[in-house]
């Protein structure tokens, strides 16, 4: 039963004081609640929806996002969601879902993924592989994890009505959607607007989108119709091997469908024909189009329908106004090819979380918060650009009229399509460079060195310890990931071969960290073999790694420690 007095129920107080107010309980807002709550920061999250997403929404959790879930200790819970552990996660291209198969990218099942990654190297040198799972399931895990943290309050069914920032705090008015209790005033030091693509906060600030929108393609360019379906016979009536995602390439209809639960639930999307009002479409259209896409009319239950716009590659002109930060879809809008929107949203929260906590706890200068936009806006531009390229690659590919014909001409057309689509599948879905290769080379809080940055390429990733990027990964002889040794705060990686980092050097760093009350974990491995590998990867005996697992500095001289901390905590913007 809900407590009924203001003393016991914060929702009944007329005013509330928190450190951070989070508007929006999608992946971005929930991830920030997790990052802040684990650092002892009090936050209130409001979302006007009654709960987490009902519709499947995003479908791919990229490997870097899984590494962040691992850092927070719940990657295994996310990997257990969605498809059964042995369900294939292949992506198949077909003339119809049960028709001619044109191409297929075979990928490991969830059960295989955690073992397969230990055998991989090079571009896939990582702690986690991606996971094919609907966002609706991920949000449940993020919500459960956040609400278990002291100091975090999540309120679904609550609306941000308005807010003001007077330069010293944010004062917001929040109210339950059902009007069950009076509006409440919330005082917060900072606010995150993770209020989605139609962000009211961004609109109030008058921040415009930059980039391109309205890109037209025969597929993935224009208004898309989405239907959440239950189709119990989908697999039993389909002679093709099981896949997770089926992309239909047909001259008369282009569509795709993803398995939501590996049993009977699916997320179906097709482009709305020119001249059709998307608001006029409903369950009957979903059944009709699904039957055409599948190749026969199966028993279908329509769980929901809606529409969305493909053809965006947009980034907000600013990601911050005063004490208010903008993240997730409120800050960038993708065409979902490559599956980057939700992942970029999560990384925004990862980037902002430790910085807000460090400033609120007095460990860092408030200027550290300027680096949120300096780091995340270039990443948003980069990622929306990649997604646009993937959308062009599949959306501008035209299916020739004879593609589905059982004739010699049809066979020849399918062979040609097969060549192209097998290549495309790898371009869009084998993207270690996108997920691991994001860098903060223009950041004011990274100690840049003058070594060259690795090439930025979607399909290949070159591990590099140049500050500003993800730390190169290594599996240790005992089966642990190097990342599992890193602290939740800062990490000093000490590498003993061939140059020996002596204890005085290490102490130089730990002393300056404790003077600044910064949590620093020293990671030093005893094995000479491991040290040799680490030295080859990191090319320096001392490496400072941020709480968001980005390299802040590397070097050999702890006398630099004071200047390094000044830079990485926002106290100084001059070069070290
Ligand atoms: C068909 C499709 C497929 C996709 N596939 C992928 C994919 O595979 N991979 C990927 O990375 N991305 C994908 N995406 C994109 C992904 O769904 C979004 O990028 C993601 O949901 C963004 O998360 P968010 O937290 O920023 O915002 P949202 O999830 O949009 O959450 C915003 C929340 O703010 C709340 N809100 C708004 N205004 C207020 C207010 N005034 N007061 C209180 N609450 C408010 C809303 O209720 C909403 O819950 C896909 C999108 C679509 C449409």
């Amino acid at each position: 039963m809900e407590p009924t007095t203001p003393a016991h129920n914060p929702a009944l107080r007329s005013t509330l004081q928190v450190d951070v107010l989070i508007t929006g309980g999608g992946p971005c807002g929930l991830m920030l609640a997790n990052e802040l709550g684990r650092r002892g920061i009090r936050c209130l999250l409001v979302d006007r929806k009654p709960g987490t997403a009902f519709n499947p929404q995003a479908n791919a959790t990229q490997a870097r996002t899984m590494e962040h879930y691992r850092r927070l200790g719940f990657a295994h819970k996310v990997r257990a969601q969605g498809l059964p552990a042995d369900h294939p996660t292949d992506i198949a291209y077909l003339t119809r879902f049960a028709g001619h198969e044109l191409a297929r990218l075979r990928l490991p099942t969830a059960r295989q993924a955690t073992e397969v990654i230990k055998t991989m190297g090079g571009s896939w040198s990582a702690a986690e592989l991606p996971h094919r799972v609907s966002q609706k399931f991920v949000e449940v895990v993020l919500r459960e994890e956040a609400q278990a943290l002291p100091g975090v309050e999540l309120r679904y069914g609550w609306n941000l009505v308005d807010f003001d920032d007077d330069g010293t705090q944010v004062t917001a008015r929040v109210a339950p959607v059902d009007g069950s209790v009076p509006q409440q005033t919330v005082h917060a030091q900072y606010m995150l607007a993770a209020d989605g693509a139609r962000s009211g906060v961004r609109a109030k600030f008058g921040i415009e989108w930059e980039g391109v929108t309205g890109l037209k393609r025969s597929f993935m360019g224009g208004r898309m119709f989405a239907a959440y379906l239950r189709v119990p016979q989908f697999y039993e009536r389909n002679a093709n091997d099981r896949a997770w995602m089926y992309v239909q390439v047909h001259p008369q209809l282009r569509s795709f469908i993803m398995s939501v639960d590996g049993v009977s639930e699916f997320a179906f999307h097709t482009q709305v024909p020119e001249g059709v009002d998307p608001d006029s479409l409903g369950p009957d259209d979903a059944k009709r189009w699904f039957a055409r896409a599948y190749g026969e009319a199966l028993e279908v239950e329509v769980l929901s329908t809606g529409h969305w716009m493909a053809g965006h590659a947009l980034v907000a002109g600013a990601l911050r106004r005063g004490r208010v930060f903008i993240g997730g879809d409120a800050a960038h809008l993708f065409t979902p090819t490559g599956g980057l929107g939700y992942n970029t949203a999560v990384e925004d929260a990862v980037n902002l979380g430790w910085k807000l906590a460090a400033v609120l706890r007095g460990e860092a200068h408030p200027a550290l918060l300027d680096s949120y936009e300096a780091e995340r806006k270039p990443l948003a531009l980069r990622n929306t650009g990649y997604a646009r390229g993937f959308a062009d690659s599949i959306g501008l590919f035209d299916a020739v009229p004879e593609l589905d014909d059982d004739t010699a001409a049809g066979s020849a057309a399918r062979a040609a399509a097969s060549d192209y689509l097998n290549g495309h599948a790898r371009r869009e879905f084998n993207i270690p460079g996108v997920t691991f290769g994001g860098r903060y080379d223009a950041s004011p809080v990274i100690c840049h060195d003058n070594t060259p940055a690795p090439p930025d390429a979607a399909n290949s990733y070159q591990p590099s310890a140049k500050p500003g990027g993800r730390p190169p990964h290594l599996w240790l002889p005992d089966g642990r990931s190097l990342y599992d040794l890193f602290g939740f705060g800062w990490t000093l990686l000490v590498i003993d071969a061939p140059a020996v980092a002596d204890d005085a050097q290490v102490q130089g760093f730990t002393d300056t960290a404790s003077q600044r009350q910064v949590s620093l974990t020293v990671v030093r491995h005893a094995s000479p073999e491991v040290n040799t590998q680490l030295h080859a990867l990191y090319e320096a005996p001392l490496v400072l790694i941020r709480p968001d697992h980005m390299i802040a500095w590397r070097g050999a001289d702890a006398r630099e420690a004071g200047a390094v901390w000044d830079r990485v905590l926002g106290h100084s913007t001059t070069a070290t």
Side-chain angles (χ1 to χ4, degrees), residues 439-443 445-454 464-469 537-544 551-556 560 564 567-568 575-576:
R439 299 188 51 81
Y440 298 149
D441 284 328
S443 171
V445 295
I446 296 284
C447 301
H448 302 286
D449 66 22
N450 56 11
T451 56
S464 164
K466 177 181 170 61
L537 287 170
Y538 284 86
E539 300 175 307
L542 297 170
V543 185
L544 185 64
I551 296 180
W553 171 85
R554 67 175 167 178
E560 291 180 32
V564 168
R567 167 62 83 96
V568 301
T576 57

Side-chain angles (χ1 to χ4, degrees), residues 524-560:
R524 189 171 201 165
H525 208 276
S527 146
E529 293 77 26
V530 170
N531 277 296
T532 303
Q533 285 175 287
L534 287 175
H535 186 79
L537 287 170
Y538 284 86
E539 300 175 307
L542 297 170
V543 185
L544 185 64
I545 295 159
R546 302 196 323 191
D548 58 353
H549 287 192
M550 295 296 274
I551 296 180
W553 171 85
R554 67 175 167 178
D557 188 353
R559 283 171 302 182
E560 291 180 32

Side-chain angles (χ1 to χ4, degrees), residues 246-498:
Y246 299 76
V247 184
Q248 186 201 9
V249 182
H250 191 280
Q252 272 112 44
L253 186 67
R254 299 287 295 270
S255 70
F256 62 99
I257 197 165
M258 272 91 49
S259 180
V260 173
D261 64 355
V263 182
S264 61
E265 291 187 15
F266 296 87
F268 174 59
H269 301 266
T270 186
Q271 191 145 331
V272 179
E274 286 290 332
V276 173
D277 173 9
D279 285 326
S280 70
L281 300 171
D284 289 344
D285 303 286
K287 289 181 182 174
R288 186 166 47 89
W289 274 328
F290 171 77
R292 285 180 60 200
Y294 189 88
E296 83 175 283
L298 303 180
E299 178 199 324
V300 173
E301 182 186 349
V302 181
L303 302 173
S304 72
T305 62
H307 54 84
W308 53 278
M309 184 59 89
H312 296 309
L314 294 173
V315 177
L319 305 194
R320 179 183 183 186
R321 280 280 193 276
R323 292 179 165 266
V324 180
F325 297 85
I326 300 173
D329 274 14
H332 33 70
L333 269 185
F334 288 71
T335 294
T337 33
L340 302 179
Y342 132 70
N343 291 278
T344 307
V346 167
E347 286 188 19
D348 290 344
V350 169
N351 185 285
L352 187 59
W354 72 269
K355 293 176 181 173
L356 279 174
V359 170
L360 284 163
R361 294 197 303 218
E363 296 162 4
H365 191 280
L368 176 65
L369 298 173
D370 295 339
S371 67
Y372 171 71
E373 179 173 308
E375 294 182 348
R376 294 309 297 167
K377 193 173 171 195
L379 249 289
L381 289 166
R382 166 191 189 262
N383 291 0
T384 50
Y386 274 132
R388 180 184 172 180
F390 302 142
D392 284 345
S393 172
I394 187 68
L396 299 177
F397 174 77
D398 277 330
V400 296
E402 61 275 24
L403 190 68
D404 203 23
D405 294 351
D406 287 320
T407 59
S411 295
R414 287 191 289 279
S418 176
D419 275 353
Y420 181 82
L421 293 169
N422 273 313
H424 167 80
R426 278 155 190 79
R427 283 195 292 281
E428 183 182 341
F429 292 99
N430 181 23
I431 51 172
V434 176
T435 189
F436 301 135
R439 299 188 51 81
Y440 298 149
D441 284 328
S443 171
V445 295
I446 296 284
C447 301
H448 302 286
D449 66 22
N450 56 11
T451 56
D456 188 6
N459 305 116
S460 65
Y461 157 72
Q462 187 177 305
S464 164
K466 177 181 170 61
R470 167 183 174 269
H473 181 263
L474 186 68
W475 287 105
L476 300 171
D478 62 6
R480 281 183 301 172
S481 156
L482 175 66
Y483 294 170
D484 297 343
L485 273 48
F486 291 179
F488 191 61
W490 291 79
T491 299
L492 183 69
L493 181 60
V494 181
I495 301 168
D496 284 334

